[in-house]
Amino acid sequence: MIGTVGAESAPMEQPVLLVVDDSKENRTMLARRLAREGYQVLPAESGAQALEILELQRVTLVLLDLRMPDMDGFEVLDEIRKVKDDRELPVFMVSANNDQPTKVAAMKRGANDFLCKPVEYEFLLARLQQQLKHQTTAPGRVDISQLQVGDCLAHYRLDRLLGEGGMGRVYQAYDQKLLRHVALKIMQGAFSPESQQRFLTEARAVARVSHPNVVTIYEIGDTPCSYLTMELVEGVELEAFAGGRALEPALACRLAIQIADALQAVHERGILHRDLKPANVMVCQERVKVMDFGLAKIVESNEKLTRSGEVWGTPQFMSPEHFDPARGDVDQHSDQFALAGILYQMLTGAPPFRSSGLSALMYEVLSKNPRHPCERFPNVPRPLGDICMRGLAKDKKERFASAGQMAQALRQLSW
């Protein structure tokens, strides 16, 4: 872990306790009591759910039931200890089975403590306080502007800077635990709760999807700074792949089908991209990967990630309803509009809306239709241009019913 690259002390964050118990009554009662003591509590009803939470969330300590139907506590503990030792993540086993062989087995497998059910709450609280007082020194935060190739962040070695933006940097890195190359996205500085929510939403959204055209999230961490690791995509951004020129219509169609398939996969899981643009599409030997769900929105979530009067996203590829709420909610059809804008750029070499100022660009998106691709490039088949223009319809009801339907229409074309 980096300790000499711009590290500075930070106040201790609120401890996060993961309570794993298949009994709703047990975990709810314990979670409520611990929350009253000032702890942040994450409940899990199964071993599988607990491991999923641990992949995506920072957890200070785990209270783990032993007897559970899908994975017992020993199996969950074994999985935890494959990646975190007893100093990185303490685990308290909790069980009604308090015979000596069970306790010994738990400690040998890496448990930090063993508590018997019914839990004596005051004793549990004392054991927690004793354990956590040894973890009260918060790790230093890292100024990422001082990071250099060759440095290590957590268990990742930084090999090459891939890109840099307003929220941080992306490196090619080497995972020294799992012995693989990854893309490491490091977030700069201390974030507001809203910015941190956007960061967590990106990880959670992509981690829920398994699709060959969607980038895979491996891990999320916050020590010594906020970061996430993704599969390393060997390729170039779509804009660089095109080189500022119009692509052959057949190639543009094949790439658009893959992007549409990726959108359909995330939409089926209730996820919106909301910032789809050529820079978020990687191409490797005509294979597409959609990435950077930093503005993604979980549709069923009650969390509000936008503020009145603020524009989040890339205006050149944003739909009319992004700018005018009277046109309806931002939804799957809005991502489809962005896909159609990308297809337009692939067919013509330029985006459909090109005004330089934000106000002029918003007016263009709301009020003007771009020229049909066939009018600019006669080699573009009329049916392909028509599909593109349908996706760019101002009224989202006139677009395709889904990204999957758009992909199907593209697949039906032949040259």
Side-chain angles (χ1 to χ4, degrees):
M1 183 189 305
I2 293 176
T4 58
V5 184
E8 53 190 47
S9 61
M12 179 60 182
E13 297 177 0
Q14 181 186 32
V16 180
L17 307 181
L18 175 59
V19 176
V20 189
D21 197 313
D22 62 322
S23 167
K24 181 178 180 180
E25 180 181 359
N26 286 346
R27 67 175 181 270
T28 300
M29 179 179 65
L30 187 55
R32 286 176 177 171
R33 296 192 71 175
L34 290 169
R36 287 199 294 268
E37 297 291 338
Y39 296 107
Q40 181 181 344
V41 181
L42 302 174
E45 63 182 13
S46 68
Q49 186 181 34
L51 293 176
E52 181 179 353
I53 291 172
L54 287 171
E55 286 184 359
L56 300 177
Q57 283 278 80
R58 176 187 65 83
V59 172
T60 311
L61 185 145
V62 180
L63 292 166
L64 178 59
D65 189 16
L66 179 57
R67 302 300 178 195
M68 294 184 292
D70 61 337
M71 297 176 67
D72 66 30
F74 283 152
E75 293 173 308
V76 177
L77 179 59
D78 288 343
E79 291 300 312
I80 291 173
R81 289 296 172 248
K82 288 178 182 178
V83 293
K84 291 184 181 293
D85 63 30
D86 58 356
R87 293 167 298 177
E88 291 179 284
L89 182 59
V91 176
F92 285 10
M93 301 297 297
V94 183
S95 176
N97 188 356
N98 62 355
D99 61 274
Q100 184 173 340
T102 301
K103 293 179 181 179
V104 171
M107 303 307 286
K108 285 185 175 180
R109 292 170 101 134
N112 296 73
D113 210 334
F114 193 104
L115 303 173
C116 299
K117 288 183 177 179
V119 174
E120 298 177 358
Y121 181 72
E122 295 302 326
F123 179 72
L124 165 62
L125 196 59
R127 299 298 295 160
L128 282 175
Q129 292 169 346
Q130 179 70 18
Q131 178 69 46
L132 295 177
K133 79 176 184 179
H134 299 297
Q135 300 169 241
T136 55
T137 303
R141 306 302 289 180
V142 168
D143 179 358
I144 71 170
S145 66
Q146 297 186 36
L147 291 175
Q148 298 179 4
V149 170
D151 286 340
C152 288
L153 186 78
H155 52 282
Y156 298 100
R157 186 188 68 227
L158 309 183
D159 290 343
R160 181 163 62 98
L161 180 64
L162 299 177
E164 188 168 6
M167 292 186 70
R169 292 179 176 180
V170 180
Y171 285 89
Q172 177 179 320
Y174 186 68
D175 185 337
Q176 297 177 104
K177 282 188 176 180
L178 298 181
L179 307 181
R180 63 183 175 187
H181 294 281
V182 299
L184 177 65
K185 186 172 187 178
I186 306 173
M187 316 305 284
Q188 173 65 67
F191 297 120
S192 67
E194 188 175 69
S195 296
Q196 184 69 14
Q197 184 61 60
R198 291 170 63 192
F199 174 66
L200 291 173
T201 298
E202 174 175 357
R204 290 170 181 157
V206 185
R208 292 172 60 184
V209 179
S210 177
H211 190 275
N213 299 120
V214 179
V215 71
T216 301
I217 291 288
Y218 293 142
E219 181 188 4
I220 181 172
D222 64 355
T223 303
C225 61
S226 297
Y227 67 86
L228 61 83
T229 57
M230 306 169 282
E231 65 172 305
L232 181 63
V233 180
E234 299 290 349
V236 296
E237 293 177 2
L238 178 56
E239 198 149 12
F241 177 81
R245 301 183 298 273
L247 298 178
E248 287 296 321
L251 175 56
C253 183
R254 290 197 298 271
L255 297 179
I257 288 171
Q258 295 181 58
I259 300 171
D261 286 343
L263 287 181
Q264 182 65 21
V266 298
H267 291 169
E268 286 176 352
R269 290 160 179 79
I271 302 164
L272 305 180
H273 193 293
R274 302 210 320 165
D275 192 29
L276 187 62
K277 57 188 176 183
N280 289 336
V281 178
M282 298 293 291
V283 185
C284 177
Q285 297 180 344
E286 299 187 18
R287 169 63 65 180
V288 159
K289 285 277 190 179
V290 179
M291 57 190 297
D292 198 355
F293 285 71
L295 300 182
K297 175 184 177 184
I298 310 301
V299 172
E300 71 269 22
S301 173
N302 291 323
E303 296 166 354
K304 302 299 183 182
L305 301 183
T306 57
R307 293 180 290 185
S308 177
E310 182 178 6
V311 175
W312 282 5
T314 306
Q316 279 184 320
F317 297 94
M318 291 171 69
S319 64
E321 56 268 23
H322 274 90
F323 304 117
D324 182 6
R327 296 176 186 249
D329 294 333
V330 173
D331 59 13
Q332 292 91 338
H333 295 89
S334 309
D335 281 348
Q336 185 189 137
F337 185 94
L339 167 56
I342 291 172
L343 176 57
Y344 189 99
Q345 180 164 320
M346 288 192 291
L347 293 173
T348 67
F353 309 104
R354 287 173 284 174
S355 295
S356 56
L358 178 59
S359 297
L361 188 61
M362 289 173 60
Y363 174 78
E364 197 175 352
V365 171
L366 290 168
S367 306
K368 292 187 175 182
N369 290 316
R371 290 175 61 193
H372 196 287
C374 299
E375 296 178 9
R376 301 187 60 191
F377 288 83
N379 69 320
V380 176
R382 170 65 63 172
L384 178 57
D386 289 344
I387 290 173
C388 180
M389 294 303 290
R390 180 175 174 183
L392 288 170
K394 304 295 185 188
D395 186 347
K396 63 181 181 178
K397 295 179 182 177
E398 297 177 7
R399 301 171 204 157
F400 291 93
S402 67
Q405 189 182 98
M406 185 175 180
Q408 182 179 6
L410 289 167
R411 283 190 171 96
Q412 290 173 348
L413 300 179
S414 60
W415 278 264

